[in-house]
Amino acid sequence: FMLSGQRIRLLHASPPGVYHRVHQRDPIDKLEAMFDSTDFTGYGFEPDVVGYGDIHTAYLRSLRARVLFNVGSVGNPLDQTLACYAILEGSDDDTPARPLAITLVRVPYDIERAIQEAADEDMPEFEPYASELRTARYRGLTGGATS
């Protein structure tokens, strides 16, 4: 879609597909490939801005006059123990050079309540999930957020 004259693409994971993860610290060529058009995304346009989720780690990065951002996670953030979401604000016309704002918003949420609800539902892999919520560290990794 268009916002403030910018072509915006939003997707869950990455242009190759839902199981191909891209992280903020990946090599620049992998980050720039987020702007590629593929069979998965379609070939309608080359985006100026790409937003995605999947890795549960919020960030915003400028790449050669284009913007890449990850919305983080409301229910299981893996970079801080605060829920995170993105707000895009701009003009709905196609005029170039109009202001476009991307804001990553962090808010506290009741982690212990979320853990209790998962326990009440007898969630599979409950203990690793509870640990993720309490520590913002992905299960099985020792170095912090998903890598």
Side-chain angles (χ1 to χ4, degrees), residues 24-41:
Q24 179 179 10
R25 292 188 182 104
D26 282 340
I28 192 74
D29 59 328
K30 190 170 180 181
L31 295 172
E32 288 179 341
M34 290 294 287
F35 297 88
D36 291 348
S37 292
T38 66
D39 289 341
F40 184 69
T41 64

Side-chain angles (χ1 to χ4, degrees), residues 1-17:
F1 67 95
M2 296 289 291
L3 189 63
S4 293
Q6 301 289 306
R7 295 170 302 242
I8 313 289
R9 175 187 289 155
L10 302 176
L11 61 156
H12 176 81
S14 68

Side-chain angles (χ1 to χ4, degrees), residues 82-133:
L82 297 168
C84 187
Y85 60 92
I87 298 174
L88 279 69
E89 296 177 277
S91 172
D92 62 359
D93 65 29
D94 293 344
T95 308
R98 300 289 301 243
L100 173 67
I102 302 170
T103 306
L104 297 175
V105 180
R106 301 276 187 172
V107 294
Y109 73 106
D110 192 339
I111 292 170
E112 293 306 317
R113 179 179 174 187
I115 290 170
Q116 185 58 54
E117 288 174 357
D120 293 346
E121 294 296 321
D122 199 26
M123 178 182 177
E125 299 187 42
F126 169 75
E127 290 300 329
Y129 174 74
S131 178
E132 283 178 3
L133 294 188

Side-chain angles (χ1 to χ4, degrees), residues 40-89:
F40 184 69
T41 64
Y43 296 93
F45 64 89
E46 182 178 319
D48 303 301
V49 177
V50 172
Y52 70 111
D54 189 51
I55 61 170
H56 298 244
T57 303
Y59 73 90
L60 186 138
R61 187 163 178 182
S62 178
L63 298 166
R64 299 183 190 179
R66 300 181 296 187
V67 175
L68 177 64
F69 70 96
N70 189 286
V71 298
S73 176
V74 172
N76 189 5
L78 296 174
D79 55 353
Q80 295 183 31
T81 55
L82 297 168
C84 187
Y85 60 92
I87 298 174
L88 279 69
E89 296 177 277

